[in-house]
Amino acid sequence: MKVVLLNGSRREAGCTYTALSVVADVLKENGVDAEIIHAVPTDDVVKAVAEKVKEADGLVVGSPVYWASPSGEIISFMDKLAGAAGSALIHKPAAAVASARRAGTTATLDVLNKYFAYHQMPIVSSNYWNVVHGNTPDEVKQDAEGMQIMRVLGRNMAWLLKCIEAGKTAGITAPETEAKVMTNFIR
């Protein structure tokens, strides 16, 4: 099993990466491979990520809060990824993570979760909003509640992936979908 984690920050190793690293570490501790990718919205990067997402079992998308919403980079990336990966996203568990100095995190989660809902992706949650607070990676690491939320998110994603795999082993398949019709509307 594998999860792709997208870092939608302009800073490759900033606060968002710090939060995603905690999720990735917990996934690995639970036997799930995890790869964090800096989501630069160029056509080549989007195409490469689309191929990785097609092979992956789950997706986590992280973004800092800029002007009370996700970064423009991750919005552009997700728009392009929806077209490039399309129906391959359907039924893959996904989670959104937001990092902020103070406010705007729930609005950011709302925007990111809409990509998942549109693609019929089960949305993985934690025991509170999937957010961390801090102005630097060190401040994020000091956000005890945020770090705990990221650990619970990693465990919940690993658990859901194992449940889905157990279901497949037992012969249970995902419901039929009108993916061909749906992807015709993604542009």
Side-chain angles (χ1 to χ4, degrees), residues 14-31:
C15 296
T16 303
Y17 176 83
T18 302
L20 293 175
S21 294
V22 172
V23 177
D25 288 346
V26 171
L27 287 166
K28 291 173 186 174
E29 289 169 9
N30 284 274

Side-chain angles (χ1 to χ4, degrees), residues 67-107:
W67 304 105
S69 68
S71 70
E73 289 83 357
I74 197 63
I75 290 173
S76 176
F77 193 94
M78 292 302 293
D79 285 351
K80 291 177 180 184
L81 183 64
S87 61
L89 296 170
I90 294 173
H91 299 138
K92 289 184 191 241
V97 170
S99 66
R101 182 181 67 82
R102 189 169 304 279
T105 52
T106 57

Side-chain angles (χ1 to χ4, degrees), residues 10 30 32 43 56 83 89 92 111 122 126 136 150 156 159 187:
R10 294 173 189 156
N30 284 274
V32 177
D43 290 342
L89 296 170
K92 289 184 191 241
V111 171
S126 186
T136 66
M150 294 302 110
N156 287 348
W159 174 80
R187 302 211 190 275

Side-chain angles (χ1 to χ4, degrees), residues 3 8-9 11 16 18 29 40 43 48 51 65 79 90 93 98 104 111-112 115-117 132 136 165 177 181-182 186:
V3 174
S9 175
R11 294 174 183 86
T16 303
T18 302
E29 289 169 9
V40 180
D43 290 342
E51 291 305 313
V65 173
D79 285 351
I90 294 173
V111 171
L112 295 175
Y115 288 98
F116 310 147
V132 296
T136 66
E165 186 168 299
T177 185
V181 174
M182 185 187 73
I186 300 172

Side-chain angles (χ1 to χ4, degrees), residues 135-179:
N135 206 33
T136 66
D138 285 337
E139 288 179 9
V140 168
K141 290 175 187 174
Q142 293 172 22
D143 175 14
E145 183 178 19
M147 293 291 93
Q148 183 256 346
I149 291 165
M150 294 302 110
R151 288 189 299 273
V152 172
L153 176 60
R155 285 193 297 272
N156 287 348
M157 175 67 83
W159 174 80
L160 183 56
L161 291 173
K162 290 175 183 179
C163 288
I164 291 169
E165 186 168 299
K168 288 178 182 177
T169 301
I172 300 169
T173 59
E176 292 295 318
T177 185
E178 296 182 30

